[in-house]
Amino acid sequence: MSVVVASDTPEQAAGGTRLAGPATAARPPHGRSSLLWASLLRTLQERPELAEPRVLDCGGGSGSLAVPLAAQGAAVTVVDVSIDALATLMRRAAEAGVPDRVIAVQGEAESLAELVAAEAFDLVLAHDVLEDVQNPGLVLRQIAGVLRPGGVLSVVVANPVAGVLARVLAGDLAGAQSMLSRPNRQAYDAEGLAGLCLAAGLQVQSVEGLGVFTDLVPGIELDRPGAIAALSELESALAGQPPYRDIAARLHVQARRPAAG
């Protein structure tokens, strides 16, 4: 797959790769999500033999990642429960000129094996999905089953540590205590998330934090000359290093299905 990379610009709020191209609908996310985007591009670049990588986006909604990936040359299937989000996805794909590269499938992640073919995808995205399912282990096993041998899972979850820290820094000690004692959703630390991937038969390749400092820096400070570039460098340098990784707003694990043979 040919990947087009533009030079760094001020709109890259947290560093990383930006998709070049005239269509606004096909531009990847900025801010801390640009680190995630750069990581996904690196994963696809590792497989130059794939003329048209097949990507599955579980819970991909309106296509904030699916449409840019399709614009890069991937064939992307999005599974989501919301018919409205899928309609927006297809509209964005048409606006970006890639409707033939995007397929929308309505359904739940827990029924993935019934919705898509086995061993059909080179990359599967499960971003902000595991916290909202009843059986995350089942979802990951089904994802492993739809990955081709050598294919990669990219999974992102909110980091409960960051949620507690943010409330303490804001002076909301009661809210921090409440999060510790009664989490609203299933919560995963880096070790637990990696363990789930291993239990599903996947080999963990990397564990990173997305947004180590972004949510902690006062907005007024980012108006200072050079502040955004400095923040970008910090985020990129420390994304994979504990203990900084472990306080990031979100955790990102990439895990590979073992190659056949």
Side-chain angles (χ1 to χ4, degrees):
M1 182 184 74
S2 176
V3 177
V4 180
V5 179
S7 59
D8 290 350
T9 70
E11 67 185 302
Q12 290 176 263
T17 302
R18 182 177 66 84
L19 178 69
T24 301
R27 294 188 186 278
H30 301 297
R32 67 178 178 232
S33 295
S34 62
L35 290 173
L36 175 61
W37 174 250
S39 180
L40 297 179
L41 288 189
R42 285 195 300 270
T43 297
L44 293 178
Q45 287 173 322
E46 290 174 358
R47 303 284 299 277
E49 75 279 8
L50 299 175
E52 186 181 65
R54 296 196 62 187
V55 178
L56 172 64
D57 192 350
C58 299
S62 59
S64 61
L65 285 172
V67 173
L69 285 169
Q72 290 284 2
V76 187
T77 298
V78 177
V79 173
D80 199 283
V81 295
S82 171
I83 192 66
D84 292 334
L86 292 176
T88 300
L89 161 72
M90 296 312 299
R91 183 173 68 251
R92 293 179 67 184
E95 291 171 354
V98 291
D100 57 325
R101 291 186 176 275
V102 177
I103 297 173
V105 178
Q106 187 180 19
E108 299 181 349
E110 289 158 308
S111 302
L112 196 60
E114 303 171 10
L115 300 173
V116 298
E119 298 189 352
F121 298 96
D122 304 295
L123 174 64
V124 175
L125 314 183
H127 298 169
D128 304 309
V129 169
L130 295 187
E131 299 101 321
D132 295 321
V133 299
Q134 295 296 318
N135 192 335
L138 171 64
V139 171
L140 289 178
R141 289 193 297 273
Q142 292 192 61
I143 287 175
V146 303
L147 276 170
R148 290 171 174 164
V152 173
L153 162 68
S154 168
V155 56
V156 174
V157 298
N159 184 3
V161 174
V164 173
L165 179 60
R167 280 165 174 75
V168 170
L169 292 176
D172 182 11
L173 302 183
Q177 183 62 43
S178 178
M179 284 196 70
L180 285 172
S181 58
R182 295 185 301 276
N184 292 329
R185 304 190 296 176
Q186 297 195 62
Y188 305 94
D189 57 15
E191 182 178 353
L193 185 57
L196 276 175
C197 293
L198 289 170
L202 302 170
Q203 299 172 340
V204 175
Q205 305 290 298
S206 64
V207 181
E208 293 184 325
L210 303 175
V212 177
F213 303 113
T214 300
D215 293 344
L216 303 179
V217 180
I220 192 172
E221 296 297 327
L222 293 179
D223 293 333
R224 299 180 183 274
I228 290 178
L231 178 60
S232 169
E233 292 178 7
L234 278 172
E235 293 284 1
S236 298
L238 300 177
Q241 296 186 32
Y244 305 103
R245 174 198 71 191
D246 301 323
I247 65 167
R250 301 162 83 202
L251 298 172
H252 178 217
V253 170
Q254 288 202 359
R256 188 180 303 274
R257 177 175 172 175

